[in-house]
Amino acid sequence: MSLTSLIAPQLPLLRRYARALSGSQASGDSHVVAMLEHLVADPDGFDKSLEPRLGVYKLFTSVWNANPMNYMRLEDGERPAADRRLDAITPLPRQAFLLTAMEGFSPFDASRILDVGPEAFSALLSEAARQIGEQVASRVLVIEDEPLIAMDLEGLVEGLGHTVVGNARTRDEAVAMARSERPGLILADIRLADGSSGLDAVNDILGSFEVPVIFITAYPESLLTGERPEPTFLIAKPFREEMVKAVISQALFFDKVASLRLKDNV
């Protein structure tokens, strides 16, 4: 298969990524062109042993990171708030965050794109989460009936620079705390202490105001039914700390607002 047939289908998504990195479509496109010119000069620079999209992003990253101008801060101008926040994240953590949060690569594949080991990549994601937390610090409500898990989540949330406004163990507690505290983010389990449902609690809360919701559950199949609506953010138990940090940062950074009206299938 020719290089053109391998690379051309990847360019639309690569342009989106380049735009997010550079702050403008024009600048992003110029970097994509630079990658293509590099490829013309050195066709062997493309690793055909990799899946095509992975290979294209890896090549683009090597060209991007070789340009010292890409380590300079951009002027804010009239750019959207999310773009200004993104530019405030240092270069490698920013790339790690975008590759996983926006482009959908697994941490393993993203680490290959950046040419770093798994531990180093985890550290980059954690640093991105910390820097994002400094920019979009929020008040978080935890809905979780297991005390040890609730404590772990509270530690993760506060380690990112956010504040936990309460930990609810039942549907009624969750709704009351949410209406009283008006959190900017909710972390919710599905099955609660009194047999009530975290799904119902979330639906009750969303009936009063909009707030991003991350479900952290041992029963993801009850939400991933293949029917709409499905949750935007879902983490299966047992969870990895790095995953929770990344998803919290993703939810707050991109200002995703949950508008779930889920039927409890539990």
Side-chain angles (χ1 to χ4, degrees):
M1 186 175 292
S2 69
L3 275 180
T4 299
S5 61
L6 289 173
I7 293 172
Q10 320 307 326
L11 294 182
L13 291 179
L14 183 66
R15 291 182 64 228
R16 177 184 68 182
Y17 176 63
R19 183 249 181 255
L21 275 180
S22 63
S24 75
Q25 193 64 69
S27 177
D29 285 347
S30 70
H31 285 88
V32 173
V33 170
M35 181 203 73
L36 295 174
E37 291 173 344
H38 178 85
L39 189 61
V40 170
D42 180 20
D44 292 334
F46 182 77
D47 188 348
K48 289 187 176 180
S49 69
L50 299 174
E51 184 271 328
R53 185 169 181 239
L54 193 65
V56 166
Y57 277 71
K58 184 174 177 64
L59 177 61
F60 176 84
T61 296
S62 67
V63 173
W64 173 275
N65 287 334
N67 183 352
M69 294 295 292
N70 291 328
Y71 287 82
M72 298 177 63
R73 294 285 297 275
L74 302 175
E75 296 295 327
D76 283 349
E78 297 299 321
R79 293 183 300 134
D83 287 351
R84 296 196 299 271
R85 293 171 187 162
L86 184 58
D87 186 44
I89 308 174
T90 49
L92 282 176
R94 180 167 75 241
Q95 292 173 67
F97 175 71
L98 284 174
L99 285 169
T100 51
M102 188 175 78
E103 297 303 308
F105 286 104
S106 68
F108 175 73
D109 283 343
S111 69
R112 297 168 74 190
I113 290 171
L114 294 181
D115 199 23
V116 299
E119 290 187 4
F121 185 80
S122 178
L124 289 174
L125 272 187
S126 293
E127 177 60 17
R130 185 192 66 79
Q131 293 183 33
I132 291 169
E134 291 179 349
Q135 302 175 57
V136 291
S138 189
R139 303 169 74 250
V140 182
L141 172 63
V142 176
I143 306 175
E144 170 61 62
D145 64 333
E146 292 289 342
L148 291 179
I149 295 177
M151 289 175 60
D152 284 344
L153 291 174
E154 182 173 348
L156 289 176
V157 167
E158 293 181 344
L160 293 175
H162 309 299
T163 301
V164 175
V165 298
N167 174 44
R169 301 181 67 250
T170 68
R171 174 182 179 178
D172 290 344
E173 286 181 1
V175 174
M177 286 184 186
R179 290 175 178 170
S180 171
E181 299 293 340
R182 291 278 173 155
L185 177 69
I186 294 175
L187 307 182
D189 193 3
I190 293 179
R191 297 185 178 178
L192 303 180
D194 61 351
S196 60
S197 167
L199 296 176
D200 287 338
V202 166
N203 284 331
D204 290 345
I205 293 167
L206 293 176
S208 300
F209 64 97
E210 293 184 331
V211 58
V213 179
I214 300 172
F215 284 101
I216 304 178
T217 176
Y219 307 96
E221 67 279 358
S222 65
L223 293 173
L224 299 178
T225 62
E227 300 177 357
R228 298 301 180 193
E230 287 185 345
T232 305
F233 303 106
L234 177 63
I235 298 174
K237 293 179 180 177
F239 56 77
R240 293 184 295 109
E241 290 188 4
E242 294 82 2
M243 176 63 72
V244 176
K245 291 178 180 179
V247 175
I248 288 174
S249 298
Q250 180 183 358
L252 292 172
F253 185 88
F254 289 112
D255 292 325
K256 298 282 189 181
V257 176
S259 57
L260 306 177
R261 294 295 182 269
L262 299 173
K263 180 179 179 181
D264 189 349
N265 295 315
V266 181

